[in-house]
Amino acid sequence: MLFLITKILGKRQISELSLFEYITGITLGNLVGYISLDTDKSWYLGFIAVFVWIVVSVGAEYLTMKSKKIRDIVDGKSTVLVENGAVIQENLKKERLTIDEFLEQLRKKDVFRVADVEFAVMEQSGEISVLLKKEYQPLTADLLGYNIASEKETRTIIMDGHILPETLKVAGLTEDWVRKELRKLNLTLSQVSIGQVDSKGKLTVQTGTEALPKPANTNPNDQIKELVQRMQDDLTLRKQLASNNKDRLKYQEALEQFQTAMQAYQKNNPS
């Protein structure tokens, strides 16, 4: 019965719970426990109570979807904890959040310095979302001015030695193609625990003891080129984000010195 109720109430009931959903879960558990154990009493009253509570819950969810005001009352509002790099002490007290707890939540987001945070907000679920300051954000293709093709979802087409026909069809592949790719890896279908196809149409498999195909050994020269490119991109980004001309000029000089040094290295090491 609880399984059917949860299916009716939707996935939100088993994800991050709002205050109202938390109360709903406790109440339904108590009601079903009453029906299961108090067999000497009028059991049908328990079913009536469960039915009424389901109607109330579904009605509340419908109203929260239709009205922002009701949604704010039932689910609550998010609270800004850090704005423009400054911690708002009053809002920490409002959310009953100590400094230790706040720092713990930041560490869970891989942030160890409050000074690195530009904006932080506590969501209705209790989770804290963090936006780092511009200079501490990781490099992205957009910041570097690169245009990259969109990535498609990786699809699992083999599971526990069986092909998943629906996923295979969505991926635009056939069973013959799968078996052909497995022969290249000297595998049979029954040996595959997990098989996935990425956006480039490449099949990767897990046998339970190893991952195939194994990555090719990277050429050291290629690794050096990739590292050099990263450093150049980093200096270029820092120059673009510099707050004044003096810093911008310093980054430009560092970039030119680095490029000169690398040209001399490549000239002495042509291979």
Side-chain angles (χ1 to χ4, degrees), residues 8-121:
I8 293 172
L9 294 179
K11 293 181 180 178
R12 282 187 59 183
Q13 188 63 31
I14 58 174
S15 62
E16 295 289 346
L17 301 180
S18 67
L19 179 62
F20 185 79
E21 290 160 348
Y22 176 72
I23 295 171
T24 299
I26 292 175
T27 304
L28 289 176
N30 286 335
L31 289 173
V32 173
Y34 161 79
I35 297 171
S36 303
L37 298 175
D38 295 346
T39 54
D40 296 335
K41 299 180 181 179
S42 301
W43 56 268
Y44 64 89
L45 294 177
F47 281 100
I48 293 175
V50 169
F51 175 76
V52 170
W53 195 258
I54 291 174
V55 171
V56 171
S57 299
V58 173
E61 288 186 0
Y62 176 79
L63 290 175
T64 57
M65 287 189 293
K66 293 293 183 181
S67 171
K68 176 70 168 62
K69 291 182 179 179
I70 295 178
R71 186 159 60 246
D72 289 341
I73 294 172
V74 175
D75 292 339
K77 295 181 180 180
S78 57
T79 304
V80 176
L81 302 180
V82 179
E83 190 170 19
N84 297 326
V87 176
I88 304 176
Q89 190 74 29
E90 183 179 342
N91 286 352
L92 289 178
K93 292 179 180 179
K94 177 183 176 183
E95 295 297 338
R96 309 289 195 275
L97 193 67
T98 66
I99 297 295
D100 289 333
E101 291 170 335
F102 174 62
L103 294 176
E104 178 187 352
Q105 292 295 323
L106 290 183
R107 288 194 294 271
K108 288 180 179 179
K109 301 292 184 181
D110 297 327
V111 179
F112 291 84
R113 281 204 320 170
V114 180
D116 296 349
V117 179
E118 178 70 25
F119 185 80
V121 58

